[in-house]
Amino acid sequence: IWKMLGTTPNIKHIVVGRCYNYVTLVNPGLRHDCEEIWRQFEGAVVCQSSCNVTVEDYHPMFYAMPQTWPCDKFLFWSKTRTLMHSYAAVMRHFWTLEDTLVGYMFNDLIWCGQEDTGFDFDSCPEWLACRNHPVYSLWRQASQNFAEMACGNITVLLNGSIVNAFNRLSMFGSVELDSLNPLKVNYVNIKVVTNLEGPHL
Ligand SMILES: *[C@@H]1O[C@H](CO)[C@@H](O)[C@H](O)[C@H]1NC(C)=O
Ligand SMILES: *[C@@H]1O[C@H](CO)[C@@H](O)[C@H](O)[C@H]1NC(C)=O
Ligand SMILES: *[C@@H]1O[C@H](CO)[C@@H](O)[C@H](O)[C@H]1NC(C)=O
């Protein structure tokens, strides 16, 4: 299947609203220009063929939203999304990609452009259908930036109920792991967690 849902309706209001929410309430003190971030995002995506947005196209947007984190708080995860949410909720000092401004703004959204007419609200290509998928490229660059910032004692949450808890093809295995800086990361705390009901692989 090559087509999936189109761009999330009202994407501009959602993205800009989340940005204002983040810089006003979630992480006050950040001086980011939400309208400018949106303009850079739009510049990368709209009026492009839907499979033709590279990570480089997003560089101006990322440049408009620099962010750093204190060490020892970085939490990476792979195939443990549900668990990660409750884990990070309980262990409140952890930060995941979704706690960064870019992760917060684009979480769960879909988008792709259309030559000539802006966003394509009818259908977007499947995530893995093309090399330069606009959603994939953004998450790839966001993941890389997050991993490059990581320092100190970091934590990785893997799924012990699936065959390949560590998968080289996952975003963690293919992008984040290779972006960690061995001069900055001094300890990797790997937690392999199974479902309560198993299987315990
Ligand atoms: C893809 O983008 C590049 C540069 O942004 C452009 O030169 C090229 O024509 C585009 N290809 C398609 C198929 O739209
Ligand atoms: C492991 O992966 C399965 C299948 O994706 C998922 O249903 C389950 O919630 C995951 N387990 C943990 C502990 O994250
Ligand atoms: C790293 O952090 C984990 C989880 O917070 C902790 O259990 C572990 O002892 C720490 N390791 C070092 C060497 O500080």
Side-chain angles (χ1 to χ4, degrees), residues 133-190:
H133 192 290
V135 178
Y136 183 78
S137 293
L138 183 139
W139 286 113
R140 193 188 150 87
Q141 186 64 51
S143 301
Q144 183 182 327
N145 293 350
F146 185 68
E148 283 173 352
M149 277 192 316
C151 49
N153 176 354
I154 69 171
T155 301
V156 182
L157 211 53
L158 301 178
N159 189 331
S161 289
I162 58 174
V163 175
N164 291 314
F166 172 69
N167 182 352
R168 254 298 183 188
L169 300 178
S170 67
M171 198 65 100
F172 175 70
S174 66
V175 177
E176 292 170 336
L177 183 63
D178 294 329
S179 301
L180 294 174
N181 182 346
L183 299 175
K184 296 200 316 196
V185 175
N186 44 44
Y187 192 86
V188 182
N189 182 47
I190 303 170

Side-chain angles (χ1 to χ4, degrees), residues 48-49 52-53 57 115:
Q48 277 275 8
S49 87
N52 197 23
V53 182
D57 291 330
E115 277 165 89

